[in-house]
């Protein structure tokens, strides 16, 4: 499906056009349209690939989708929502929705004891189009609800007034069109070596290459619902990787690690004899099956039978080895007869590469036999459903090649074994798969939070949640397990719902292994030991007990805290304790996606070294549509985010909070006005005694949102303790003196500068990274800052490398205020 219908808002009496388009061989000509799942009559609506509805009535609201079909199969579009408003009804309410931000620690709490302040937000919902506004298919940029007016308020905080901008009114305007990107790295699954200058294809189109370190950036084409990318090693050392990459439709970049499977060393075969190649090689276990190649089966592309030596490389991905899950291709899905994309459960995949021994030219085959050991099928009901599939590299969907049927056979002196046998012809370089369609399906609700407080308004968007389905191997009730499929979903404003296999009879028949990453950083799961706390996990008892929730380090504290495992126990509709998440039946996807934050869900959170951020103009970094064009916006450009950090070394007996205060420095519209505050706790250097370092964000100098004049941000760096400045990086001092005006640095307890416009680098103690995703830009900059280099990355603080300014701090005599406290209580005097 190359064009999906789009969500629309109309006023009663108006007309609406939905469009969809499918591609395939042969070209799809037949289209069917459905309203709320019910087929619309073609004679009444006279539709083809477009559906036009005139004189809309309220009862025509709901979901619409199309299906395209040919004799080769069918495919369904994603659903589109139609909202029909009554005459005079507004789709965008002028009154903003509540949205809370946390105020700095020195601000007084309100009557309820909270330091959160309501700044308001406008939900980016679509607006009704103007009457007579006709747009061709695929060109509908549309209008969306957004900020129409903001107001400046001042909050009294410890002797001074803190400015804050709040949304005063919402209204309709052009929809934001943020760039949608997938970034990441391609490496070998076994050694971690990067795929250098590998080709990247979207569909059949080459869109670029990986970099020297295996890095890549893919701009997601508009209207994409399923991003299928193929990575090809030009040196033919790896099997082509076909990946369905998750992305955030609301804009910004999602980071993804891609693993490639190394090709098996080729073996020499005599084409005039029958040959058998084993499939499966998990340590010390029987093969899952074998590929049987009869004599004379190898063909040249012309159809001529090849005689001579064949170099045969057959690479098998064995799901009995847990480490192989990350290297598997596609998302293990196929399109059923109704065109719905549904999941498969794998027993193994294999890639074949046959070449002439002398010339190395590629060979095809006539009919070959795939034999699978029935003893390796762990669920008896799967024996009847096992099929042979091949992967279409352009759609990322598996296509049926044939059914595997039972055939008994004795193997010489070994025991009688039953085989499932299927036939296929190898005509092109595809990946093949032994799979069963699995209909016991559920959804698992997961949310990600910015910290361990799990506040509903501090959820993170753009987090990649990955779920690997595990199931018991034969003869073992629980362990060891083999993986059956995997899925990745990106969190939105209301978390993520991940498909998983589930069972109502046996809660532990399927289990799931879940992880969460943001820009390559792994988030932490809630602890399950020494005591399981249902309030922290986010799931109430007794269902939590049935799910058997365990964090990876449950039995061994040395293991990582970034993964959790549960039994995917299908909820019992007659048990009220199991009807509120976190597992939802497959037909209840909408209920899962719209579940309130109070409903049961699994949780991940960012481990913050005490960190606090305050922006005068509120902006949620995980939702780029929340950006507002304002002179005081911390990020002036929603298409490109430049993160700036300064490295501070602190010599003292403990770790200290360090604040950056950022105000307008040279721009006439913002001079003296606050942009925002950043507080960061210094991190101890493990190799240096009584020394810690802090990487403190400051607002970069540069153009403001109108892109007409540069502002040099006036940045003050103040450690929150009894500290005095003892050193400034000589290169930084020299740069600042050569680029006037020079900020006054007359107080020894702080460091002030008009921030450099140039991205200076580690020699100056300044770290600058530009990216389309603000979080990713900050993560990369912090990694470089910790490392003290301009191209490295570290999570361990090297406090004396690449430092801008040094403070020496001591324990304060009792009763004496620090400079930071005096700044808060009596700012004018300080």
């Amino acid at each position: 499906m190359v064009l999906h219908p789009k969500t629309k808002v109309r006023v009663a009496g108006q007309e609406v056009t939905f469009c969809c388009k499918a591609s395939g061989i042969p070209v799809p000509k037949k289209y069917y349209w459905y309203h709320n799942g019910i087929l619309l009559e073609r004679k009444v609506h006279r539709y083809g690939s477009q559906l036009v509805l005139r004189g809309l009535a309220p009862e025509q609201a709901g979901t619409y989708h199309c299906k395209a079909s040919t004799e080769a199969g069918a495919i369904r579009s994603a659903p589109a929502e139609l909202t029909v408003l009554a005459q005079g009804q507004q789709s965008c309410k002028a009154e903003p929705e509540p949205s809370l931000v946390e105020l700095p620690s020195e601000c007084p709490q309100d009557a309820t004891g909270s330091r959160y302040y309501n700044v308001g937000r406008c939900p980016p919902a679509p607006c009704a189009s103007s009457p007579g506004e006709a747009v061709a298919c695929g060109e509908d940029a549309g209008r969306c609800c957004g900020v129409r007016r903001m107001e400046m308020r001042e909050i009294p905080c410890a002797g001074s007034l803190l400015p804050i901008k709040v949304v005063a009114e919402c209204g309709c305007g052009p929809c934001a069109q943020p760039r949608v990107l997938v970034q990441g790295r391609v490496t070998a699954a076994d050694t971690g070596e990067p795929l250098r200058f590998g080709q990247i294809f979207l569909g059949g189109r080459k869109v670029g290459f990986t970099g020297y370190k295996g890095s890549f950036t893919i701009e997601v084409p508009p209207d994409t619902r399923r991003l299928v990318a193929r990575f090809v090693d030009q040196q033919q050392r790896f099997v082509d990787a076909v990946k369905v990459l998750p992305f955030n439709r609301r804009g910004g970049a999602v980071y993804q690690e891609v693993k490639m499977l190394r090709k098996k060393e080729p073996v020499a075969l005599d084409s005039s004899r029958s040959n058998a190649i084993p499939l499966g090689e998990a340590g010390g276990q029987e093969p899952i099956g074998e590929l049987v190649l009869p004599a004379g089966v190898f063909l040249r592309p012309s159809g001529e039978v090849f005689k001579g030596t064949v170099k045969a490389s057959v690479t098998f991905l064995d799901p009995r080895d847990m480490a192989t899950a990350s290297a598997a291709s596609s998302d293990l899905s196929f399109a059923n007869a109704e065109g719905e994309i549904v999941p498969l459960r794998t027993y193994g995949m294999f890639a074949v590469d046959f070449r002439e021994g002398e010339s190395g030219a590629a060979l095809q085959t006539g009919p070959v036999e795939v034999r699978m050991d029935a003893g390796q099928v762990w669920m008896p009901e799967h024996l009847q459903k096992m099929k042979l599939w091949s992967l279409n590299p352009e759609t990322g969907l598996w296509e049926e090649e044939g059914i595997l049927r039972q055939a008994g056979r004795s193997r010489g002196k070994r025991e009688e074994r039953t085989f499932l046998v299927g036939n296929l012809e190898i005509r092109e370089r595809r990946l093949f798969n032994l799979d069963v369609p699995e209909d016991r399906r559920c959804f698992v609700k997961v949310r990600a939070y910015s910290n361990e407080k799990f506040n509903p308004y501090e959820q993170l968007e753009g987090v990649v949640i990955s779920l690997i389905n595990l199931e018991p191997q034969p003869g073992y009730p629980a362990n060891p397990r083999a993986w059956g499929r995997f899925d990745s979903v990106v969190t939105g404003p209301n978390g993520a719902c991940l498909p998983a296999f589930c069972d109502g009879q046996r809660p532990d028949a399927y289990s799931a292994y879940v992880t969460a990453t943001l820009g390559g950083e792994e988030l932490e799961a809630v602890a399950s030991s020494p005591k399981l706390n249902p309030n922290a996990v986010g799931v109430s008892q007794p269902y939590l007990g049935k799910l058997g929730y365990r964090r990876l380090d449950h039995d061994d504290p040395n293991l990582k805290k970034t993964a959790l495992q549960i039994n995917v126990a299908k909820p019992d509709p007659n048990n009220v304790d199991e009807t509120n998440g976190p597992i939802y039946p497959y037909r209840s996807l909408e209920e899962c996606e719209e579940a309130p934050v109070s409903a049961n869900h699994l949780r991940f959170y960012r481990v913050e070294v005490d960190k606090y951020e305050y922006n005068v103009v509120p902006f949620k970094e995980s939702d780029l549509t929340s950006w507002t064009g304002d002179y005081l916006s911390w990020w002036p450009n929603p298409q490109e985010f430049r993160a700036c950090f300064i490295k501070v070394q602190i010599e003292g007996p403990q770790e200290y909070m360090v604040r950056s205060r950022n105000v307008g420095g040279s721009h006439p519209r913002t001079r003296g006005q606050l942009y925002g505050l950043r507080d960061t706790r210094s991190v101890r250097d493990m190799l240096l005694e009584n020394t810690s370092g802090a990487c403190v964000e400051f607002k970069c100098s540069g153009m403001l949102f109108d892109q007409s004049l540069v502002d040099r941000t006036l940045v003050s760096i103040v450690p929150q303790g009894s500290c005095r400045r003892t050193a400034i990086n000589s290169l930084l001092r020299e740069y600042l003196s050569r680029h006037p005006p020079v900020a006054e640095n007359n107080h020894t307890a702080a460091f002030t500068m008009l921030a450099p416009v140039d991205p200076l680098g580690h020699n100056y103690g300044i770290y600058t990274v530009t990216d389309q995703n603000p979080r990713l830009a900050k993560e990369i900059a912090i990694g470089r800052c910790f490392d003290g280099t301009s191209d490295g990355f570290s999570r361990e603080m090297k406090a004396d490398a690449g430092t801008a300014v040094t403070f020496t701090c001591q324990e304060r005599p009792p009763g004496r205020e620090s400079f930071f406290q005096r700044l808060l209580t009596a700012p004018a005097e300080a």
Side-chain angles (χ1 to χ4, degrees):
M1 189 62 69
V2 292
L3 180 65
H4 295 263
K6 291 186 171 71
T7 289
K8 304 276 176 90
V9 178
R10 294 290 185 269
V11 176
Q14 285 185 335
E15 72 171 57
V16 69
T17 302
F18 287 113
C19 309
C20 91
K21 186 183 175 189
S23 66
I25 303 166
V27 175
K29 298 270 175 56
K30 264 194 174 173
Y31 288 87
Y32 304 87
W33 284 92
Y34 297 79
H35 175 220
N36 294 336
I38 296 163
L39 180 65
L40 295 172
E41 282 189 50
R42 191 188 302 272
K43 285 179 184 170
V44 174
H45 295 281
R46 298 185 176 173
Y47 58 68
S49 63
Q50 293 184 24
L51 172 69
V52 181
L53 303 172
R54 295 182 175 85
L56 285 169
E59 60 270 17
Q60 287 175 286
T63 59
Y64 288 82
H65 78 264
C66 82
K67 181 175 91 175
S69 74
T70 68
E71 57 269 36
I75 193 76
R76 259 171 75 160
S77 74
E81 194 75 31
L82 174 63
T83 303
V84 180
L85 305 171
Q87 294 288 341
Q89 184 185 352
Q90 292 299 312
S91 56
C92 178
K93 292 183 178 137
E95 190 181 337
E97 287 183 355
S99 177
L100 303 179
V101 297
E102 187 180 4
L103 298 177
S105 55
E106 63 269 17
C107 296
Q109 297 178 339
D110 63 15
T112 64
S114 169
R115 269 207 325 274
Y116 285 89
Y117 193 84
N118 181 14
V119 295
R121 71 182 279 270
C122 303
C127 289
S129 67
S130 311
E133 188 184 312
V135 254
C137 283
E139 291 177 16
D140 192 358
R143 286 152 48 79
C144 293
C145 192
V147 175
R148 178 161 281 174
R149 186 168 56 86
M150 297 189 87
E151 278 176 6
M152 180 69 92
R153 297 198 186 147
E154 291 183 323
I155 299 164
C157 286
S160 63
L161 294 172
L162 180 76
I164 187 164
K165 283 211 162 185
V166 301
V167 178
E169 185 187 349
C170 300
C172 289
C175 295
Q177 299 286 333
R179 291 175 73 196
V180 181
L181 300 168
V182 176
Q183 297 175 327
R185 224 166 131 246
V186 189
T187 54
D190 52 356
T191 62
E193 72 173 287
L195 173 69
R196 293 192 169 126
F197 313 120
Q199 294 175 311
I200 306 171
F201 292 85
L202 290 187
R205 191 168 53 91
K206 186 158 72 176
V207 294
F209 296 87
T210 59
Y212 182 74
K213 292 186 175 178
S215 57
F216 68 89
T217 298
I218 297 172
E219 183 148 3
V220 182
D223 203 47
T224 302
R225 297 302 171 107
R226 205 163 169 272
L227 181 66
V228 179
R230 179 161 55 107
F231 299 90
V232 177
D233 175 22
Q234 298 189 78
Q235 295 174 30
Q236 295 295 314
R237 294 162 304 158
F238 301 106
V239 176
D240 293 1
V242 177
K243 296 286 181 180
V244 179
L245 298 170
F247 60 93
N248 188 356
R249 283 200 190 94
R250 295 157 72 91
V254 165
Y255 186 86
Q256 195 73 8
E257 288 278 356
V258 173
K259 300 291 182 193
M260 288 188 88
L261 201 60
R262 191 178 297 280
K263 277 188 180 174
K264 198 88 167 130
E265 280 298 315
V267 293
L269 304 178
D270 181 346
S271 67
S272 63
R273 298 175 58 179
S274 180
N275 294 281
I277 297 175
L279 301 174
E281 49 197 39
Q285 297 188 52
E286 289 282 352
I288 278 178
E290 62 185 10
L291 183 64
V292 180
L293 304 155
V297 79
F298 293 103
L299 308 170
R300 288 195 166 116
S302 62
E304 172 199 349
V305 174
F306 172 74
K307 292 172 183 160
T309 303
V310 175
K311 287 214 168 138
S313 167
V314 177
T315 310
F316 189 77
L317 188 99
D318 198 327
R320 296 173 299 180
D321 177 0
M322 279 297 298
T324 62
S326 61
S329 267
S330 129
D331 58 354
L332 286 167
S333 299
F334 74 104
N336 67 11
E338 286 302 305
E340 194 180 0
I341 294 178
V342 287
L344 290 167
R345 181 255 166 276
T346 189
Y347 279 91
M349 306 177 187
F350 60 96
V352 296
D353 190 8
F354 299 131
R355 294 186 179 271
E356 294 184 22
E358 297 277 316
S359 67
L363 291 170
Q364 302 176 353
T365 78
V368 299
E369 208 171 66
V370 179
R371 295 177 164 270
M372 183 179 178
D373 182 357
Q376 297 289 345
V377 180
W378 308 312
M379 296 195 168
E381 62 270 31
H382 287 176
L383 287 169
Q384 314 305 321
K385 301 189 211 168
M386 191 69 64
K387 291 181 179 178
L388 195 55
W389 307 77
S390 70
L391 179 62
N392 182 325
E394 294 191 12
T395 63
L397 294 172
W398 293 88
E399 296 170 353
E400 192 178 320
E401 290 280 347
I403 294 169
L404 273 70
R405 307 189 188 283
Q406 286 202 26
R409 176 179 167 192
S410 173
R411 297 284 302 271
K413 295 177 184 173
R414 297 166 74 180
E415 77 281 7
E416 178 77 23
R417 293 164 87 196
T418 304
F419 279 83
L420 301 175
V421 179
N423 294 306
L424 87 140
E425 292 184 17
I426 298 165
R427 293 290 182 192
E428 56 184 319
R429 206 170 68 205
R430 278 198 175 194
L431 191 60
F432 299 96
N433 198 350
L434 301 163
D435 271 23
V436 287
E438 180 57 275
D439 48 13
R440 288 174 291 186
R441 295 176 277 159
C442 289
F443 285 98
V444 180
K445 182 75 177 203
V446 182
R447 296 179 190 270
Y449 293 87
S450 60
N451 55 50
E452 229 176 327
K453 296 174 190 164
F454 304 121
N455 286 324
Y457 36 85
E458 291 185 307
Q459 289 188 68
L460 294 175
E461 295 179 47
V463 175
V464 179
I465 311 286
S466 297
L467 183 149
I468 300 176
N469 255 108
L470 310 173
E471 57 193 50
Q473 292 194 20
Y476 299 93
N479 277 315
R481 293 192 166 235
W483 64 269
R485 72 172 280 107
F486 52 88
D487 282 279
S488 293
V489 175
V490 176
T491 56
N494 200 32
C497 293
L498 287 104
F501 295 145
C502 56
D503 197 290
Q505 308 304 312
R506 283 177 43 217
D508 65 344
Y510 288 106
S511 62
Y513 177 91
V514 190
T515 58
T517 58
L518 178 65
E521 171 202 0
E522 294 183 320
L523 274 59
E524 213 161 277
V526 179
S528 57
S529 63
K531 192 167 183 287
L532 189 65
N533 179 353
N535 291 333
V537 173
V539 181
S540 55
Q541 293 285 23
Y543 198 19
L544 180 60
K546 190 172 175 181
L547 298 180
Y549 177 95
R550 289 162 80 90
R551 192 166 74 177
L552 198 59
D553 66 343
H554 185 86
D555 295 318
D556 181 354
N558 294 320
L559 291 175
K560 291 204 292 190
K561 302 171 181 178
T562 52
L564 64 89
Q565 197 167 324
I566 57 164
N567 299 325
V568 194
K570 190 173 184 177
D572 177 358
N574 302 315
N575 183 342
V576 69
D577 294 321
E578 299 181 12
T579 55
N580 194 31
I583 317 286
Y584 293 83
Y586 192 70
R587 295 291 167 201
S588 303
L589 173 59
E590 197 172 330
E591 189 186 334
C592 176
E593 288 181 334
E594 294 175 4
V597 74
S598 56
N600 287 335
H601 60 273
L602 300 171
R603 291 171 172 169
F604 286 88
Y605 61 93
R606 279 190 92 174
V607 182
E608 295 282 14
V609 278
D610 296 331
K611 198 186 263 185
Y612 171 73
E613 299 180 356
Y614 174 77
N615 298 325
V616 169
V617 179
F619 172 60
K620 210 172 169 187
E621 285 173 1
S622 59
D623 177 11
L624 301 191
T625 59
S626 69
W627 183 85
T628 310
D630 192 284
Y631 280 101
L632 294 176
S633 294
W634 184 275
W635 307 96
N637 180 354
Q639 299 285 338
E640 193 173 74
F641 297 89
R642 191 168 170 223
C644 294
F645 284 77
I646 184 169
K647 188 164 184 178
V648 180
Q649 181 178 342
I650 295 185
E651 292 166 350
Q654 60 190 58
E655 296 175 333
Y656 298 83
M657 289 299 283
V658 183
R659 167 168 289 184
S660 83
R661 179 181 169 81
N662 303 266
V663 300
S666 59
H667 196 291
R669 293 288 296 263
T670 62
R671 191 178 291 127
Q673 293 188 66
L674 185 69
Y675 290 116
L677 307 170
R678 297 291 186 266
D679 289 345
T680 306
R681 186 175 293 285
S682 65
V683 176
R684 200 173 292 286
D685 187 317
M686 293 306 176
L687 302 177
L688 299 173
E689 197 177 347
N690 285 342
T691 304
S692 61
C695 292
V696 188
E697 187 186 7
F698 63 89
K699 185 187 181 302
C700 304
S701 291
M703 294 282 190
L704 298 186
F705 96 101
D706 63 1
Q707 300 296 310
S708 65
L709 266 181
V710 165
D711 182 42
R712 294 274 303 276
T713 313
L714 181 62
V715 180
S716 303
I717 303 295
V718 190
Q720 301 179 18
S722 288
C723 305
R724 61 191 173 83
R725 191 180 71 247
T726 49
I728 298 173
N729 180 304
S730 57
L731 286 175
L732 179 62
R733 178 187 280 159
E734 189 186 327
Y735 175 92
L736 294 174
S737 66
R738 282 191 290 108
H739 294 78
V742 177
E744 289 183 6
N745 256 314
N746 56 8
H747 200 290
T748 58
F751 169 70
T752 307
M753 67 174 178
L754 280 156
V757 176
D758 302 307
L760 296 181
H762 69 286
N763 290 328
Y764 300 78
I766 303 290
Y767 300 84
T768 307
V769 172
T770 302
D771 197 273
Q772 283 80 10
N773 182 329
R775 278 247 162 75
L776 204 52
K778 284 158 75 162
E779 284 303 320
I780 296 167
I782 290 169
R784 290 177 183 175
C785 178
F786 266 58
D787 197 49
T789 62
S790 290
D791 58 358
F793 188 89
S794 177
R795 287 264 173 238
E796 288 181 16
M797 175 58 75
K798 299 169 186 171
D800 60 345
T803 302
V805 59
T806 303
F807 290 90
T808 302
C809 302
Q810 60 193 46
E811 293 304 299
R812 195 169 54 254
R816 191 164 149 232
E817 280 191 321
S818 71
F819 172 66
F820 185 79
Q821 287 169 318
R822 297 208 305 282
L823 255 183
L824 298 179
T825 51
E829 186 189 316

